[in-house]
Amino acid sequence: GNTLSQSLFWSMLYNKFNTHRGRDVFRRQLSDLKIFAPLRPVISALAFNQMHAQLIGQGIARYPRVQVIERALEDIAALGQILGSKPFILGDRPSSMDALLYAMLVLVFEDHELQADLSSTKDMYPNLAAYVERMKKRYVPELDLSNTTNTDS
């Protein structure tokens, strides 16, 4: 479980810090922050250089993007099989692995811009999609947009 989650984690970092799309998204997110404008390019370059070095050190940046995506898709498929019909990844009770799995899967399923190659897996693994919704409602209901009502009438 832990090795599998680490593999998916590094694939997601690869999408953010080792692709042109990821760099564009990161720069746009950085520009939305209240950071002194002349420092933004410096912060962006430092972040990318540091993350790229970590991706190389871990080994994933040495693979072509297609292989990284294939590996992430295999990881998601394995997580779907491991979860099966259980309410939580290790059985009937939540664990720290559920917090980790939820954090990764919510990004995979809902960050359509950055994780575009992976977000379609939400439809492929309904048990994982239901798991994410169940975790969201139980632990972070403020993120459940389906429960909000429009008060701007």
Side-chain angles (χ1 to χ4, degrees):
N2 196 25
T3 302
L4 185 61
S5 60
Q6 286 180 5
S7 176
L8 183 57
F9 170 78
W10 284 105
S11 297
M12 293 171 63
L13 283 181
Y14 180 99
N15 276 347
K16 181 149 190 156
F17 292 101
N18 209 49
T19 65
H20 292 296
R21 181 187 307 153
R23 290 173 190 204
D24 292 343
V25 169
F26 183 78
R27 286 184 183 120
R28 190 173 60 247
Q29 290 170 339
L30 194 59
S31 70
D32 291 343
L33 299 176
K34 294 181 180 180
I35 296 173
F36 186 54
L39 290 179
R40 290 181 193 147
V42 174
I43 292 169
S44 179
L46 287 172
F48 273 97
N49 289 339
Q50 185 175 42
M51 286 307 304
H52 187 70
Q54 288 184 26
L55 291 167
I56 288 173
Q58 189 276 340
I60 199 164
R62 299 169 192 212
Y63 292 96
R65 187 171 180 278
V66 171
Q67 281 185 294
V68 173
I69 298 303
E70 286 173 0
R71 186 174 176 179
L73 292 172
E74 290 170 1
D75 292 342
I76 294 167
L79 288 168
Q81 287 181 334
I82 292 167
L83 179 64
S85 61
K86 299 185 302 259
F88 301 102
I89 197 71
L90 298 179
D92 293 331
R93 294 178 37 190
S95 69
S96 59
M97 283 299 297
D98 289 291
L100 178 64
L101 181 58
Y102 168 75
M104 286 191 290
L105 287 176
V106 77
L107 287 175
V108 166
F109 291 164
E110 297 182 10
D111 189 349
H112 301 286
E113 184 175 23
L114 193 53
Q115 305 297 338
D117 298 310
L118 304 177
S119 62
S120 65
T121 57
K122 182 177 185 176
D123 297 328
M124 296 167 59
Y125 302 99
N127 65 328
L128 291 177
Y131 169 82
V132 166
E133 290 307 311
R134 194 168 50 251
M135 293 291 289
K136 187 186 305 181
K137 285 180 180 167
R138 183 172 180 159
Y139 295 107
V140 282
E142 63 274 14
L143 295 180
D144 185 14
L145 300 178
S146 65
N147 288 336
T148 60
T149 56
N150 187 352
T151 57
D152 295 335
S153 23

